Amino acid sequence: MSSSKRNGNSTTGSRPNAQNIKKILLKKRIIEIFYKEGLKTIAELCETTNNSVPSITNIMNEMNREGWVNNFGIGESKGGRKPAIYGLNPRAGLIAAIDLSRKDSRIGVFNLHNEQVSDILEINDGLDTTDNILSILKKEMENLWKKNSIQKKEILGLGVTIPGLIDIKKGVSYSYPIFGNKPLKEVFGKQFGLPSTIEHDTKAMAVGESWFGLARDKSDVLFINIGSGIGLGIIINGKLYQGHSGFSGEFGHIQMDPDGHLCYCGKIGCLETIASGTALVKKARQMIREGKNSIISAKVDNKLEAIKLKTIVEAANQGDLFAIELIEEAGEYLAKGMSILIHLFNPEAIIIGGEMSEAGNLVTDPVQQKLNKYTMLRLKQDTTVLVSDLKEAAGLYGTLPIVVDSMLSRYFGNGAHGLNNGSEPHNGAS
Ligand SMILES: [Zn+2]
């Protein structure tokens, strides 16, 4: 589909008038409905958008010619003629996604049905391992396109997740000086030659859970990302909560131990210094060095520097007592922190995601047990603790509605609606 055809205004003449604007907004609304809810009949669209059958039929024909909409066959009759079913053309545009972490990263390409059109590629480089992460990502992304016969012109936009502090108003990273003082969307936009949107990693994962994961049908959910650090994504009334400056969810930096270790943030005894992947790895190395017996040593050929959170979780899943105890102890402190969150937010569910999610019950059992100790019974009873089933892919999935929202604003202007899962792209493509 050519870019001129994609323009919401393409078939309605160049001079916008009230009727044209109404039509453009209706097209945008219909794309949002299809994207969020899947296939629909004309009757269903009439009801949701409060329009007549002839006008929706006309719009469907027009959007079909433009390449946005496909006819997906005939549905079940509810009495009378069987209705035609419409939905988004999955190839109307593709979304490239990058989930950039400190030590590694993941990339993938998806269609407008949120289906993978490429493998999800894991790259063993991240923000902390190289100064050339941007060019590495570009090269790997272009290879991925080539391998899957994807043309760059098919890509509607690039969604990127990154860790650390991101200023919601300026769109700059306060944690990674390699990006300079420039808005991240400009840095990535220039590097890839694509409209780019940026979201904080844990927040993107929370959006992923909210659209595609265990938080899908829930409106008040907390998502805890446990990897090298500990982050929190807050979904309130079905929307992502950003906070005044975009810094909400720095759960890992609340103090747990006033006499504890120095955290990289400059404070003492943060939750991250006790229960994060980095803390667990540090402790495992130290205790094994001091003679602790564990299959972890064999897993890394006694090269203790090679221990990662993944190694510990794998060992625990194989029944290694030391690894299980490490996770159990982290669980106790996590529960202490989570009890504060439960008292403050009264969430329907807390989802544990990130690398730690691979530990499953080994992390949720001790958490559940200790929540009994720290949380008021009534509140505890109303909160379920779950382990993410999207696991590490949550971040990539979370970028998709954010990119689509930004693309819709670009092609159709800022209407009254918006996908509005709180996934408002705060520094989305302009
Ligand atoms: Zn800290």
PDB file of all heavy atoms in Angstrom, residues 208-246:
ATOM      1  N   GLY A 208       1.839  -4.531  27.596  1.00  0.00           N
ATOM      2  CA  GLY A 208       1.763  -5.851  26.953  1.00  0.00           C
ATOM      3  C   GLY A 208       0.852  -6.793  27.728  1.00  0.00           C
ATOM      4  O   GLY A 208      -0.015  -7.461  27.163  1.00  0.00           O
ATOM      5  N   GLU A 209       1.013  -6.830  29.045  1.00  0.00           N
ATOM      6  CA  GLU A 209       0.173  -7.697  29.888  1.00  0.00           C
ATOM      7  C   GLU A 209      -1.281  -7.254  29.813  1.00  0.00           C
ATOM      8  O   GLU A 209      -2.198  -8.069  29.809  1.00  0.00           O
ATOM      9  CB  GLU A 209       0.638  -7.649  31.353  1.00  0.00           C
ATOM     10  CG  GLU A 209       2.042  -8.204  31.598  1.00  0.00           C
ATOM     11  CD  GLU A 209       2.143  -9.709  31.428  1.00  0.00           C
ATOM     12  OE1 GLU A 209       1.091 -10.393  31.409  1.00  0.00           O
ATOM     13  OE2 GLU A 209       3.279 -10.211  31.299  1.00  0.00           O
ATOM     14  N   SER A 210      -1.475  -5.930  29.762  1.00  0.00           N
ATOM     15  CA  SER A 210      -2.813  -5.390  29.785  1.00  0.00           C
ATOM     16  C   SER A 210      -3.562  -5.668  28.470  1.00  0.00           C
ATOM     17  O   SER A 210      -4.760  -5.900  28.458  1.00  0.00           O
ATOM     18  CB  SER A 210      -2.716  -3.887  30.050  1.00  0.00           C
ATOM     19  OG  SER A 210      -3.978  -3.318  30.095  1.00  0.00           O
ATOM     20  N   TRP A 211      -2.846  -5.673  27.366  1.00  0.00           N
ATOM     21  CA  TRP A 211      -3.482  -5.937  26.066  1.00  0.00           C
ATOM     22  C   TRP A 211      -3.533  -7.426  25.725  1.00  0.00           C
ATOM     23  O   TRP A 211      -4.491  -7.910  25.161  1.00  0.00           O
ATOM     24  CB  TRP A 211      -2.710  -5.230  24.955  1.00  0.00           C
ATOM     25  CG  TRP A 211      -3.117  -3.815  24.760  1.00  0.00           C
ATOM     26  CD1 TRP A 211      -2.785  -2.755  25.552  1.00  0.00           C
ATOM     27  CD2 TRP A 211      -3.935  -3.292  23.718  1.00  0.00           C
ATOM     28  NE1 TRP A 211      -3.336  -1.614  25.059  1.00  0.00           N
ATOM     29  CE2 TRP A 211      -4.041  -1.908  23.929  1.00  0.00           C
ATOM     30  CE3 TRP A 211      -4.575  -3.858  22.606  1.00  0.00           C
ATOM     31  CZ2 TRP A 211      -4.780  -1.078  23.077  1.00  0.00           C
ATOM     32  CZ3 TRP A 211      -5.293  -3.030  21.759  1.00  0.00           C
ATOM     33  CH2 TRP A 211      -5.396  -1.664  21.998  1.00  0.00           C
ATOM     34  N   PHE A 212      -2.451  -8.123  26.033  1.00  0.00           N
ATOM     35  CA  PHE A 212      -2.310  -9.484  25.488  1.00  0.00           C
ATOM     36  C   PHE A 212      -2.082 -10.551  26.552  1.00  0.00           C
ATOM     37  O   PHE A 212      -2.038 -11.729  26.247  1.00  0.00           O
ATOM     38  CB  PHE A 212      -1.139  -9.527  24.489  1.00  0.00           C
ATOM     39  CG  PHE A 212      -1.184  -8.444  23.464  1.00  0.00           C
ATOM     40  CD1 PHE A 212      -0.290  -7.383  23.487  1.00  0.00           C
ATOM     41  CD2 PHE A 212      -2.143  -8.476  22.463  1.00  0.00           C
ATOM     42  CE1 PHE A 212      -0.345  -6.372  22.537  1.00  0.00           C
ATOM     43  CE2 PHE A 212      -2.217  -7.465  21.505  1.00  0.00           C
ATOM     44  CZ  PHE A 212      -1.310  -6.416  21.545  1.00  0.00           C
ATOM     45  N   GLY A 213      -1.866 -10.166  27.797  1.00  0.00           N
ATOM     46  CA  GLY A 213      -1.473 -11.147  28.810  1.00  0.00           C
ATOM     47  C   GLY A 213      -2.529 -11.346  29.886  1.00  0.00           C
ATOM     48  O   GLY A 213      -3.723 -11.164  29.653  1.00  0.00           O
ATOM     49  N   LEU A 214      -2.075 -11.685  31.071  1.00  0.00           N
ATOM     50  CA  LEU A 214      -2.986 -12.052  32.164  1.00  0.00           C
ATOM     51  C   LEU A 214      -3.775 -10.866  32.712  1.00  0.00           C
ATOM     52  O   LEU A 214      -4.735 -11.045  33.447  1.00  0.00           O
ATOM     53  CB  LEU A 214      -2.182 -12.707  33.299  1.00  0.00           C
ATOM     54  CG  LEU A 214      -1.525 -14.036  32.927  1.00  0.00           C
ATOM     55  CD1 LEU A 214      -0.625 -14.524  34.055  1.00  0.00           C
ATOM     56  CD2 LEU A 214      -2.588 -15.086  32.612  1.00  0.00           C
ATOM     57  N   ALA A 215      -3.388  -9.643  32.370  1.00  0.00           N
ATOM     58  CA  ALA A 215      -4.130  -8.470  32.850  1.00  0.00           C
ATOM     59  C   ALA A 215      -5.201  -8.046  31.858  1.00  0.00           C
ATOM     60  O   ALA A 215      -5.869  -7.041  32.041  1.00  0.00           O
ATOM     61  CB  ALA A 215      -3.170  -7.306  33.099  1.00  0.00           C
ATOM     62  N   ARG A 216      -5.363  -8.826  30.800  1.00  0.00           N
ATOM     63  CA  ARG A 216      -6.230  -8.451  29.687  1.00  0.00           C
ATOM     64  C   ARG A 216      -7.641  -8.028  30.115  1.00  0.00           C
ATOM     65  O   ARG A 216      -8.160  -7.043  29.641  1.00  0.00           O
ATOM     66  CB  ARG A 216      -6.312  -9.648  28.742  1.00  0.00           C
ATOM     67  CG  ARG A 216      -6.751  -9.258  27.383  1.00  0.00           C
ATOM     68  CD  ARG A 216      -6.867 -10.435  26.465  1.00  0.00           C
ATOM     69  NE  ARG A 216      -7.635  -9.983  25.315  1.00  0.00           N
ATOM     70  CZ  ARG A 216      -7.324 -10.239  24.075  1.00  0.00           C
ATOM     71  NH1 ARG A 216      -6.289 -10.960  23.808  1.00  0.00           N
ATOM     72  NH2 ARG A 216      -8.057  -9.785  23.091  1.00  0.00           N
ATOM     73  N   ASP A 217      -8.270  -8.804  30.977  1.00  0.00           N
ATOM     74  CA  ASP A 217      -9.643  -8.464  31.355  1.00  0.00           C
ATOM     75  C   ASP A 217      -9.706  -7.842  32.739  1.00  0.00           C
ATOM     76  O   ASP A 217     -10.735  -7.901  33.413  1.00  0.00           O
ATOM     77  CB  ASP A 217     -10.522  -9.721  31.296  1.00  0.00           C
ATOM     78  CG  ASP A 217     -10.511 -10.313  29.906  1.00  0.00           C
ATOM     79  OD1 ASP A 217     -10.697  -9.543  28.945  1.00  0.00           O
ATOM     80  OD2 ASP A 217     -10.276 -11.534  29.769  1.00  0.00           O
ATOM     81  N   LYS A 218      -8.602  -7.280  33.176  1.00  0.00           N
ATOM     82  CA  LYS A 218      -8.573  -6.683  34.512  1.00  0.00           C
ATOM     83  C   LYS A 218      -8.261  -5.197  34.398  1.00  0.00           C
ATOM     84  O   LYS A 218      -7.509  -4.788  33.530  1.00  0.00           O
ATOM     85  CB  LYS A 218      -7.506  -7.372  35.364  1.00  0.00           C
ATOM     86  CG  LYS A 218      -7.745  -8.865  35.560  1.00  0.00           C
ATOM     87  CD  LYS A 218      -6.654  -9.485  36.408  1.00  0.00           C
ATOM     88  CE  LYS A 218      -6.993 -10.910  36.814  1.00  0.00           C
ATOM     89  NZ  LYS A 218      -7.287 -11.799  35.676  1.00  0.00           N
ATOM     90  N   SER A 219      -8.822  -4.394  35.309  1.00  0.00           N
ATOM     91  CA  SER A 219      -8.574  -2.956  35.158  1.00  0.00           C
ATOM     92  C   SER A 219      -7.586  -2.395  36.172  1.00  0.00           C
ATOM     93  O   SER A 219      -6.984  -1.356  35.920  1.00  0.00           O
ATOM     94  CB  SER A 219      -9.890  -2.182  35.179  1.00  0.00           C
ATOM     95  OG  SER A 219     -10.527  -2.368  36.404  1.00  0.00           O
ATOM     96  N   ASP A 220      -7.391  -3.055  37.308  1.00  0.00           N
ATOM     97  CA  ASP A 220      -6.447  -2.522  38.304  1.00  0.00           C
ATOM     98  C   ASP A 220      -5.396  -3.586  38.625  1.00  0.00           C
ATOM     99  O   ASP A 220      -5.637  -4.499  39.413  1.00  0.00           O
ATOM    100  CB  ASP A 220      -7.193  -2.101  39.571  1.00  0.00           C
ATOM    101  CG  ASP A 220      -8.185  -0.991  39.269  1.00  0.00           C
ATOM    102  OD1 ASP A 220      -7.737   0.106  38.905  1.00  0.00           O
ATOM    103  OD2 ASP A 220      -9.406  -1.248  39.349  1.00  0.00           O
ATOM    104  N   VAL A 221      -4.262  -3.439  37.981  1.00  0.00           N
ATOM    105  CA  VAL A 221      -3.239  -4.481  38.045  1.00  0.00           C
ATOM    106  C   VAL A 221      -1.860  -3.857  38.243  1.00  0.00           C
ATOM    107  O   VAL A 221      -1.558  -2.807  37.687  1.00  0.00           O
ATOM    108  CB  VAL A 221      -3.227  -5.311  36.721  1.00  0.00           C
ATOM    109  CG1 VAL A 221      -2.143  -6.363  36.743  1.00  0.00           C
ATOM    110  CG2 VAL A 221      -4.574  -5.969  36.499  1.00  0.00           C
ATOM    111  N   LEU A 222      -1.041  -4.502  39.046  1.00  0.00           N
ATOM    112  CA  LEU A 222       0.350  -4.085  39.189  1.00  0.00           C
ATOM    113  C   LEU A 222       1.220  -5.149  38.524  1.00  0.00           C
ATOM    114  O   LEU A 222       0.968  -6.346  38.663  1.00  0.00           O
ATOM    115  CB  LEU A 222       0.722  -3.949  40.661  1.00  0.00           C
ATOM    116  CG  LEU A 222      -0.105  -2.921  41.457  1.00  0.00           C
ATOM    117  CD1 LEU A 222       0.304  -2.936  42.916  1.00  0.00           C
ATOM    118  CD2 LEU A 222       0.045  -1.532  40.864  1.00  0.00           C
ATOM    119  N   PHE A 223       2.224  -4.691  37.803  1.00  0.00           N
ATOM    120  CA  PHE A 223       3.125  -5.607  37.118  1.00  0.00           C
ATOM    121  C   PHE A 223       4.535  -5.383  37.657  1.00  0.00           C
ATOM    122  O   PHE A 223       5.031  -4.253  37.662  1.00  0.00           O
ATOM    123  CB  PHE A 223       3.082  -5.340  35.609  1.00  0.00           C
ATOM    124  CG  PHE A 223       4.118  -6.114  34.858  1.00  0.00           C
ATOM    125  CD1 PHE A 223       3.938  -7.459  34.569  1.00  0.00           C
ATOM    126  CD2 PHE A 223       5.303  -5.503  34.467  1.00  0.00           C
ATOM    127  CE1 PHE A 223       4.912  -8.179  33.903  1.00  0.00           C
ATOM    128  CE2 PHE A 223       6.281  -6.209  33.795  1.00  0.00           C
ATOM    129  CZ  PHE A 223       6.086  -7.551  33.508  1.00  0.00           C
ATOM    130  N   ILE A 224       5.155  -6.441  38.157  1.00  0.00           N
ATOM    131  CA  ILE A 224       6.503  -6.293  38.699  1.00  0.00           C
ATOM    132  C   ILE A 224       7.500  -7.006  37.797  1.00  0.00           C
ATOM    133  O   ILE A 224       7.399  -8.217  37.569  1.00  0.00           O
ATOM    134  CB  ILE A 224       6.583  -6.838  40.147  1.00  0.00           C
ATOM    135  CG1 ILE A 224       5.585  -6.064  41.022  1.00  0.00           C
ATOM    136  CG2 ILE A 224       8.001  -6.688  40.703  1.00  0.00           C
ATOM    137  CD1 ILE A 224       5.619  -6.426  42.479  1.00  0.00           C
ATOM    138  N   ASN A 225       8.418  -6.245  37.273  1.00  0.00           N
ATOM    139  CA  ASN A 225       9.434  -6.771  36.351  1.00  0.00           C
ATOM    140  C   ASN A 225      10.706  -7.065  37.149  1.00  0.00           C
ATOM    141  O   ASN A 225      11.368  -6.145  37.623  1.00  0.00           O
ATOM    142  CB  ASN A 225       9.689  -5.713  35.271  1.00  0.00           C
ATOM    143  CG  ASN A 225      10.829  -6.085  34.333  1.00  0.00           C
ATOM    144  OD1 ASN A 225      11.198  -7.256  34.229  1.00  0.00           O
ATOM    145  ND2 ASN A 225      11.387  -5.093  33.658  1.00  0.00           N
ATOM    146  N   ILE A 226      11.018  -8.358  37.305  1.00  0.00           N
ATOM    147  CA  ILE A 226      12.223  -8.701  38.046  1.00  0.00           C
ATOM    148  C   ILE A 226      13.250  -9.293  37.088  1.00  0.00           C
ATOM    149  O   ILE A 226      13.085 -10.404  36.580  1.00  0.00           O
ATOM    150  CB  ILE A 226      11.931  -9.704  39.178  1.00  0.00           C
ATOM    151  CG1 ILE A 226      10.748  -9.206  40.025  1.00  0.00           C
ATOM    152  CG2 ILE A 226      13.183  -9.911  40.056  1.00  0.00           C
ATOM    153  CD1 ILE A 226      10.301 -10.188  41.083  1.00  0.00           C
ATOM    154  N   GLY A 227      14.258  -8.501  36.808  1.00  0.00           N
ATOM    155  CA  GLY A 227      15.371  -8.961  35.980  1.00  0.00           C
ATOM    156  C   GLY A 227      16.618  -8.512  36.700  1.00  0.00           C
ATOM    157  O   GLY A 227      16.743  -8.732  37.903  1.00  0.00           O
ATOM    158  N   SER A 228      17.502  -7.799  35.971  1.00  0.00           N
ATOM    159  CA  SER A 228      18.677  -7.288  36.675  1.00  0.00           C
ATOM    160  C   SER A 228      18.254  -6.251  37.720  1.00  0.00           C
ATOM    161  O   SER A 228      18.877  -6.110  38.764  1.00  0.00           O
ATOM    162  CB  SER A 228      19.668  -6.691  35.682  1.00  0.00           C
ATOM    163  OG  SER A 228      19.037  -5.712  34.912  1.00  0.00           O
ATOM    164  N   GLY A 229      17.167  -5.520  37.472  1.00  0.00           N
ATOM    165  CA  GLY A 229      16.594  -4.612  38.469  1.00  0.00           C
ATOM    166  C   GLY A 229      15.180  -5.039  38.834  1.00  0.00           C
ATOM    167  O   GLY A 229      14.749  -6.142  38.488  1.00  0.00           O
ATOM    168  N   ILE A 230      14.473  -4.147  39.533  1.00  0.00           N
ATOM    169  CA  ILE A 230      13.077  -4.430  39.882  1.00  0.00           C
ATOM    170  C   ILE A 230      12.240  -3.192  39.540  1.00  0.00           C
ATOM    171  O   ILE A 230      12.442  -2.121  40.117  1.00  0.00           O
ATOM    172  CB  ILE A 230      12.916  -4.739  41.385  1.00  0.00           C
ATOM    173  CG1 ILE A 230      13.736  -5.979  41.763  1.00  0.00           C
ATOM    174  CG2 ILE A 230      11.445  -4.953  41.740  1.00  0.00           C
ATOM    175  CD1 ILE A 230      13.738  -6.288  43.259  1.00  0.00           C
ATOM    176  N   GLY A 231      11.334  -3.334  38.581  1.00  0.00           N
ATOM    177  CA  GLY A 231      10.491  -2.205  38.179  1.00  0.00           C
ATOM    178  C   GLY A 231       9.026  -2.517  38.398  1.00  0.00           C
ATOM    179  O   GLY A 231       8.633  -3.692  38.539  1.00  0.00           O
ATOM    180  N   LEU A 232       8.213  -1.478  38.406  1.00  0.00           N
ATOM    181  CA  LEU A 232       6.781  -1.646  38.630  1.00  0.00           C
ATOM    182  C   LEU A 232       6.009  -0.903  37.544  1.00  0.00           C
ATOM    183  O   LEU A 232       6.283   0.267  37.268  1.00  0.00           O
ATOM    184  CB  LEU A 232       6.422  -1.066  40.012  1.00  0.00           C
ATOM    185  CG  LEU A 232       4.945  -0.902  40.358  1.00  0.00           C
ATOM    186  CD1 LEU A 232       4.286  -2.261  40.557  1.00  0.00           C
ATOM    187  CD2 LEU A 232       4.780  -0.055  41.620  1.00  0.00           C
ATOM    188  N   GLY A 233       5.044  -1.583  36.923  1.00  0.00           N
ATOM    189  CA  GLY A 233       4.122  -0.947  35.982  1.00  0.00           C
ATOM    190  C   GLY A 233       2.751  -0.916  36.632  1.00  0.00           C
ATOM    191  O   GLY A 233       2.277  -1.923  37.139  1.00  0.00           O
ATOM    192  N   ILE A 234       2.135   0.273  36.622  1.00  0.00           N
ATOM    193  CA  ILE A 234       0.879   0.452  37.348  1.00  0.00           C
ATOM    194  C   ILE A 234      -0.261   0.652  36.343  1.00  0.00           C
ATOM    195  O   ILE A 234      -0.237   1.603  35.555  1.00  0.00           O
ATOM    196  CB  ILE A 234       0.974   1.693  38.271  1.00  0.00           C
ATOM    197  CG1 ILE A 234       2.179   1.552  39.213  1.00  0.00           C
ATOM    198  CG2 ILE A 234      -0.318   1.897  39.045  1.00  0.00           C
ATOM    199  CD1 ILE A 234       2.608   2.865  39.867  1.00  0.00           C
ATOM    200  N   ILE A 235      -1.228  -0.247  36.349  1.00  0.00           N
ATOM    201  CA  ILE A 235      -2.410  -0.100  35.501  1.00  0.00           C
ATOM    202  C   ILE A 235      -3.585   0.264  36.409  1.00  0.00           C
ATOM    203  O   ILE A 235      -3.959  -0.525  37.287  1.00  0.00           O
ATOM    204  CB  ILE A 235      -2.743  -1.410  34.742  1.00  0.00           C
ATOM    205  CG1 ILE A 235      -1.548  -1.922  33.929  1.00  0.00           C
ATOM    206  CG2 ILE A 235      -3.988  -1.233  33.871  1.00  0.00           C
ATOM    207  CD1 ILE A 235      -1.291  -1.236  32.628  1.00  0.00           C
ATOM    208  N   ILE A 236      -4.134   1.452  36.213  1.00  0.00           N
ATOM    209  CA  ILE A 236      -5.284   1.892  37.003  1.00  0.00           C
ATOM    210  C   ILE A 236      -6.441   2.178  36.052  1.00  0.00           C
ATOM    211  O   ILE A 236      -6.252   2.877  35.059  1.00  0.00           O
ATOM    212  CB  ILE A 236      -4.952   3.173  37.811  1.00  0.00           C
ATOM    213  CG1 ILE A 236      -3.796   2.891  38.793  1.00  0.00           C
ATOM    214  CG2 ILE A 236      -6.179   3.656  38.579  1.00  0.00           C
ATOM    215  CD1 ILE A 236      -3.346   4.122  39.574  1.00  0.00           C
ATOM    216  N   ASN A 237      -7.604   1.642  36.339  1.00  0.00           N
ATOM    217  CA  ASN A 237      -8.765   1.801  35.442  1.00  0.00           C
ATOM    218  C   ASN A 237      -8.413   1.409  34.014  1.00  0.00           C
ATOM    219  O   ASN A 237      -8.857   2.053  33.066  1.00  0.00           O
ATOM    220  CB  ASN A 237      -9.260   3.263  35.443  1.00  0.00           C
ATOM    221  CG  ASN A 237      -9.994   3.582  36.728  1.00  0.00           C
ATOM    222  OD1 ASN A 237     -10.615   2.707  37.324  1.00  0.00           O
ATOM    223  ND2 ASN A 237      -9.891   4.824  37.167  1.00  0.00           N
ATOM    224  N   GLY A 238      -7.610   0.385  33.863  1.00  0.00           N
ATOM    225  CA  GLY A 238      -7.246  -0.096  32.531  1.00  0.00           C
ATOM    226  C   GLY A 238      -6.197   0.748  31.826  1.00  0.00           C
ATOM    227  O   GLY A 238      -5.867   0.490  30.675  1.00  0.00           O
ATOM    228  N   LYS A 239      -5.701   1.798  32.487  1.00  0.00           N
ATOM    229  CA  LYS A 239      -4.723   2.666  31.831  1.00  0.00           C
ATOM    230  C   LYS A 239      -3.392   2.660  32.567  1.00  0.00           C
ATOM    231  O   LYS A 239      -3.361   2.582  33.796  1.00  0.00           O
ATOM    232  CB  LYS A 239      -5.240   4.106  31.790  1.00  0.00           C
ATOM    233  CG  LYS A 239      -6.422   4.277  30.883  1.00  0.00           C
ATOM    234  CD  LYS A 239      -6.875   5.711  30.881  1.00  0.00           C
ATOM    235  CE  LYS A 239      -8.116   5.842  29.987  1.00  0.00           C
ATOM    236  NZ  LYS A 239      -8.637   7.209  29.994  1.00  0.00           N
ATOM    237  N   LEU A 240      -2.331   2.788  31.791  1.00  0.00           N
ATOM    238  CA  LEU A 240      -1.004   2.859  32.387  1.00  0.00           C
ATOM    239  C   LEU A 240      -0.847   4.188  33.122  1.00  0.00           C
ATOM    240  O   LEU A 240      -1.152   5.247  32.579  1.00  0.00           O
ATOM    241  CB  LEU A 240       0.046   2.755  31.281  1.00  0.00           C
ATOM    242  CG  LEU A 240       1.501   2.827  31.744  1.00  0.00           C
ATOM    243  CD1 LEU A 240       1.883   1.570  32.510  1.00  0.00           C
ATOM    244  CD2 LEU A 240       2.419   2.997  30.536  1.00  0.00           C
ATOM    245  N   TYR A 241      -0.364   4.118  34.334  1.00  0.00           N
ATOM    246  CA  TYR A 241      -0.141   5.336  35.115  1.00  0.00           C
ATOM    247  C   TYR A 241       1.323   5.751  34.952  1.00  0.00           C
ATOM    248  O   TYR A 241       2.235   4.997  35.300  1.00  0.00           O
ATOM    249  CB  TYR A 241      -0.475   5.083  36.586  1.00  0.00           C
ATOM    250  CG  TYR A 241      -0.167   6.275  37.461  1.00  0.00           C
ATOM    251  CD1 TYR A 241      -0.984   7.399  37.453  1.00  0.00           C
ATOM    252  CD2 TYR A 241       0.961   6.298  38.280  1.00  0.00           C
ATOM    253  CE1 TYR A 241      -0.694   8.501  38.232  1.00  0.00           C
ATOM    254  CE2 TYR A 241       1.264   7.400  39.067  1.00  0.00           C
ATOM    255  CZ  TYR A 241       0.428   8.502  39.034  1.00  0.00           C
ATOM    256  OH  TYR A 241       0.731   9.593  39.801  1.00  0.00           O
ATOM    257  N   GLN A 242       1.545   6.963  34.421  1.00  0.00           N
ATOM    258  CA  GLN A 242       2.917   7.415  34.146  1.00  0.00           C
ATOM    259  C   GLN A 242       3.536   8.133  35.340  1.00  0.00           C
ATOM    260  O   GLN A 242       4.742   8.074  35.553  1.00  0.00           O
ATOM    261  CB  GLN A 242       2.929   8.372  32.944  1.00  0.00           C
ATOM    262  CG  GLN A 242       2.665   7.717  31.595  1.00  0.00           C
ATOM    263  CD  GLN A 242       3.898   7.031  31.025  1.00  0.00           C
ATOM    264  OE1 GLN A 242       4.948   6.971  31.658  1.00  0.00           O
ATOM    265  NE2 GLN A 242       3.772   6.484  29.846  1.00  0.00           N
ATOM    266  N   GLY A 243       2.704   8.863  36.099  1.00  0.00           N
ATOM    267  CA  GLY A 243       3.243   9.747  37.129  1.00  0.00           C
ATOM    268  C   GLY A 243       3.482  11.129  36.547  1.00  0.00           C
ATOM    269  O   GLY A 243       3.444  11.308  35.323  1.00  0.00           O
ATOM    270  N   HIS A 244       3.745  12.101  37.396  1.00  0.00           N
ATOM    271  CA  HIS A 244       3.877  13.498  36.961  1.00  0.00           C
ATOM    272  C   HIS A 244       4.963  13.671  35.895  1.00  0.00           C
ATOM    273  O   HIS A 244       4.771  14.347  34.898  1.00  0.00           O
ATOM    274  CB  HIS A 244       4.182  14.370  38.192  1.00  0.00           C
ATOM    275  CG  HIS A 244       4.566  15.772  37.846  1.00  0.00           C
ATOM    276  ND1 HIS A 244       3.709  16.623  37.186  1.00  0.00           N
ATOM    277  CD2 HIS A 244       5.710  16.461  38.059  1.00  0.00           C
ATOM    278  CE1 HIS A 244       4.305  17.775  37.012  1.00  0.00           C
ATOM    279  NE2 HIS A 244       5.514  17.714  37.518  1.00  0.00           N
ATOM    280  N   SER A 245       6.135  13.058  36.107  1.00  0.00           N
ATOM    281  CA  SER A 245       7.239  13.230  35.156  1.00  0.00           C
ATOM    282  C   SER A 245       7.522  11.975  34.344  1.00  0.00           C
ATOM    283  O   SER A 245       8.452  11.946  33.548  1.00  0.00           O
ATOM    284  CB  SER A 245       8.534  13.599  35.899  1.00  0.00           C
ATOM    285  OG  SER A 245       8.274  14.339  37.042  1.00  0.00           O
ATOM    286  N   GLY A 246       6.738  10.927  34.579  1.00  0.00           N
ATOM    287  CA  GLY A 246       6.987   9.658  33.895  1.00  0.00           C
ATOM    288  C   GLY A 246       7.860   8.717  34.706  1.00  0.00           C
ATOM    289  O   GLY A 246       8.267   7.665  34.229  1.00  0.00           O
TER     290      GLY A 246
END
